[in-house]
Amino acid sequence: MGRMLGAFDDPQELDRPDLNKCPDCECYFSGDNCPLCGKPCPEDMRAGNRKPPKKQKHRRSSSSRVTFIEWYHSWWFIIVALIVFPIAGIALLVTSPHKRSSKITFVVIGAIYLVISTVGIGTIIGGIAQLIDPVVDTTLNREEYIEKCEDASLEDYYRSVDSYKDKFVSMTLKVTEVFVDGDAYGINRKYTTYYMCTDASGSRFQIMVRNCVQDKNENLVVGDVIRVYGEGAGNVTVYDAKDYAPRSAPCINVAYLDVIEP
């Protein structure tokens, strides 16, 4: 057990109702004139006429006595608890005799730390980035989005991927591989599924399709022929969650797609 800690509060103002009080020097004396400045004592500051000083309200921990704090309520222990086990640290802080303002400050800090340690800083950063710059345009409905898309050939998109970045494109593709991004986090986890695709004729050119579908998720399988509507994402490298093997190719963030019946 550690020893208890203590702290002294400010003493209350001392009053001498049996003595006169100088309004300037605030000293007490028994004569007619102040011994420090020589000023005559006014009638309202003489003993018996002077109003008693107002008593200041003190907090629970404020008194002229020593306030003892258990070792587990000391600041050093609460801070360590907030870092190691935030829930316990917050509980100790709430039940401690410290000032309310200090409690509120440290509860807020502890709650923020708890969120960061539980969710992860990457999740928070990813969520903010997604709000600022969404993966696909979510302000358009399906009809408006499809209307903005321009047809592109697989070969042309593959060879000129940078010229298509952030442009609305559509094309018909065939799924050759399905994998999940092992590095995805936060709000972007809804966009972790990727499809490696070629065209329906089996061209040697391949691109990646990132599933950002805004309506019905088709859960595609290898062999599906699809019509995609999305936005150019440039060259992208994704690490497969199964073996963390890299997959690199030109990529399209797809907002809408249709499965074409064989």
Side-chain angles (χ1 to χ4, degrees), residues 8 34 40 45 49 52 67-68 72 105 117 124 136 178 188 192 194 203 211-212 227 239 246 250 253:
F8 285 96
C34 174
M45 297 299 288
N49 297 336
T67 302
F68 290 100
Y72 50 79
T105 300
S117 61
I124 297 173
V136 292
V178 181
N188 288 332
T192 59
Y194 285 76
S203 169
N211 186 1
C212 308
R227 182 69 177 175
Y239 291 88
N253 292 326

Side-chain angles (χ1 to χ4, degrees), residues 82 90 93 102-115:
L82 285 172
I90 291 175
L93 186 60
S102 300
K103 286 184 180 183
I104 293 174
T105 300
F106 274 85
V107 165
V108 171
I109 294 173
I112 293 173
Y113 179 80
L114 178 61
V115 171

Side-chain angles (χ1 to χ4, degrees), residues 131-179:
L131 293 174
I132 296 174
D133 185 19
V135 178
V136 292
D137 192 332
T138 58
T139 63
L140 304 174
N141 60 35
R142 181 184 176 91
E143 290 72 21
E144 293 170 336
Y145 195 98
I146 292 176
E147 187 177 352
K148 291 191 66 173
C149 294
E150 297 182 4
D151 288 340
S153 69
L154 175 63
E155 181 177 352
D156 187 46
Y157 187 89
Y158 185 92
R159 294 186 183 277
S160 308
V161 61
D162 289 337
S163 65
Y164 283 99
K165 194 167 184 180
D166 297 325
K167 289 186 177 180
F168 290 78
V169 296
S170 63
M171 64 181 72
T172 301
L173 302 169
K174 184 176 182 179
V175 179
T176 59
E177 185 182 1
V178 181
F179 56 95

Side-chain angles (χ1 to χ4, degrees), residues 10 13 35 40 44 55 93 97 121 125 132 144 211 220 232 241 249 253:
D10 295 332
E13 181 184 357
D44 60 343
K55 294 183 178 180
L93 186 60
I121 188 66
I125 294 175
I132 296 174
E144 293 170 336
N211 186 1
L220 304 179
N253 292 326

